[in-house]
Amino acid sequence: MPVPFTHWPDEAAARYRQKGYWLDLPLTDILTRHADSDATAVIDGERHVSYRQLHQAADNLAAQLQRQGLKQGETALVQLGNVVEFYITLFALLRLGVAPVNALFSHQRSELNAYALQIEPAVLIADRDHPLFADDAFLNTFVEEHRSVRQVLLRHDHGDHALETAIAQPATGFVATPTPADEVAFFQLSGGSTGTPKLIPRTHNDYYYSIRRSNEICHFDAQTRYLCALPAAHNYPLSSPGALGVFLAGGCVVLASDPSATLCFPLIERHQINVTALVPPAVSLWLQAISEGGSHVSLRSLRLLQVGGARLSATLAARIPAEIGCQLQQVFGMAEGLVNYTRLDDPPERIFNTQGCPMSPDDEVWVADEHGNPLPQGEVGRLMTRGPYTFRGYYRSPEHNAQAFDANGFYSSGDLISIDEAGYITVQGREKDQINRGGEKIAAEEIENLLLRHASVIHAALVSMEDSLLGEKSCAYLVVTAPLRAVAVRRFLREQGVAEFKLPDRVACVDALPLTPVGKVDKKKLRQWLAERPLT
Ligand code: AMP
Ligand code: DBH
C-alpha cells in the first residue's frame, strides 16, 4: 500500500511530464548514476566517503533492513545530525521504498512523538550521541507507545542496535524496491503554525525536479565543494540545491555540525569550499568574526554564499561581497515547495533588495488580499502558489488543508509579499502565527498548548519580538494564578520535551490578554506592547 497523499490533478501531472519536469525516475538515481565513481562525495571529519562507498553503504543498509522485513510503502522516523550516516540512511530508505520523516537533531521527545503518531513508523533510526538516546529510558517508552516500530537502529550504539553494523553487512542479492516516482518518497517538515507539527509528502518526481532546476540556476557542477553547516535534514541545505544538488552534479559535500565561524572558516580553507548556505544570523556572526580580524584563515575559495530561511536586511546583504569577498544569492524557499532565487547574473541592487524569483517557469505565484482576490502588481498581500514541485496537501490534515489551499489548489504560505514588474519577490511580513527565530520556525500554537499544561497558567500567547541578531525572538505572555518566573517556564517546557529553540526568550505575566472584537487574542496589540515597553 503506497503512503496516501494529495495527488496533483491529472491535467497538471501530464503537463509537468510533457514539459520534462517530471522524469519518472526515483530520487536514488542521484546516487546510482555515480555508483562507479571514486570521487569524494562526503567529508565528515576525518572520513572521506567516495560515491562508490556511499552507494554501497546505502545498499548494505537497505539490504539489511529488507532482510529484517521492512517493505515498500512503510515509513521510518529518522533523527541524525550532520553526519554521513544521514545520507546513507536517506538513500537506503529511498532504495527500499520506505518513506522517512527526517527529524531535526534539535528535536526532542515532543516532536518525535508527534511525528511518530502521524506516520506510525516501522523503524526508528537515531543516534546515541543525542541526549534522548544516551540511555534506553526514552527508547523503551517510545517503542512501548508506538507499537508500529519493529526495528531500531542507533548510531554509535555498542550493542545489537548498531547502525554501523547494519551498514557494514554486504548487500548480497539486494534488489531495490523504490516507490513509483509519482508516489511519496519522504516527508519534509513544515515550520508550521498549528498545534501539531505538519508533515509534507514529497514525491520523487517533484523533489528531483526542484533539485535539477536548482542546480541549473546555482551552477552546481562536479567542481562544487559545498559546506553543509545548517541542519542536513532541512529542505534548504538538502535541496536548494543543497547536498542532493551536489551529489547529482558529482561534487563534494563537507559536513559541519553548526554554522559558527570558528568551525566553518578552517573547513572552508582546508577543503577549498566554494559554496555554502547560511541563515542571516550566521552571516552576522561571520562578518563579526572577519571584522575582528582574529582569524588568519583564508576564505578566498568561497565564491557563492546563499542566504535564506529568514529575512536578510539590505544592509547586511551589501556587506557580504564587500567583506567576505564572495557573491551573494538570496534564497526564499519553503519545505512545502516553492523556492525563489536571485540569479547569479542579477545586478547587485536586485540581489541586495529582493528575495529572488521563482525557479520554475511553471511556478504560478500571485498576491491575494484578505478575501482571496488578486491584488494589482506591486501591492503587498498573501503569497499564493502552485506548481510542479509545490505540494497539494499536508499529510492527513483535511481541516488544515481546507484553510491552507484555495479551491484551485493554490497554497497560501502565510507570507506577505510584493512582486515587482520583473517578477522578483520581496518578503514584507507574515500572516501565519509563527515566529521565525533566525530561520528556525516556531508555531505559536504548539508552544501555547504546552504552556497551558502548567497548573498555574490560565491563558498563554506566544509572540515575536525584534532581535538585532536573530531578527526575531519569542515572548510568552501569560495569565497566571500564581507568579511564574521565566526560568521556571523554560524548565517546565523542557520537561515537556520540546526543542530548545522553541523555549520563550522572554516571559511576561499580565492580568489579561488583549482581545480582538471577535474575542481572539490580539497578537498585533501584544507585539505593539512589546515594541512600546520592551521587557528587560
Ligand atoms: P518552512 O515552512 O519551515 O519550510 O519555512 C518556510 C518559511 O520561511 C517561508 O514561508 C518564509 O516565511 C520563511 N523564509 C524562508 N526563506 C526566507 C527569506 N529568504 N526571507 C524571508 N523569509 C523566508
Ligand atoms: O526556510 C525554508 O524552509 C527554506 C529556505 C530556503 C527552504 O525550505 C528552502 C530554501 O528550500
Side-chain angles (χ1 to χ4, degrees), residues 188-189 191 202 207 234-240 279 307-310 331-341 436 439 441:
Q188 257 303 351
L189 309 177
R202 299 294 304 248
Y207 214 64
H234 193 279
N235 198 56
Y236 171 28
L238 188 63
S239 69
S240 296
V279 287
V307 183
V331 192
F332 165 40
M334 51 202 75
E336 286 81 357
L338 181 70
V339 180
N340 305 276
Y341 294 105
N436 189 332
K441 320 310 190 289

Side-chain angles (χ1 to χ4, degrees), residues 55 104-105 133 139 197 277 360:
H55 179 260
L104 300 179
F105 207 64
F133 298 99
L139 192 61
S360 170

Side-chain angles (χ1 to χ4, degrees), residues 142-177:
F142 186 87
V143 294
E144 186 69 28
E145 281 176 8
H146 304 283
R147 304 312 295 234
S148 59
V149 177
R150 307 194 301 270
Q151 186 63 27
V152 175
L153 288 174
L154 296 170
R155 181 175 173 271
H156 284 181
D157 181 63
H158 295 299
D160 304 341
H161 292 304
L163 176 61
E164 290 84 347
T165 312
I167 291 173
Q169 306 288 321
T172 31
F174 171 67
V175 179
T177 54

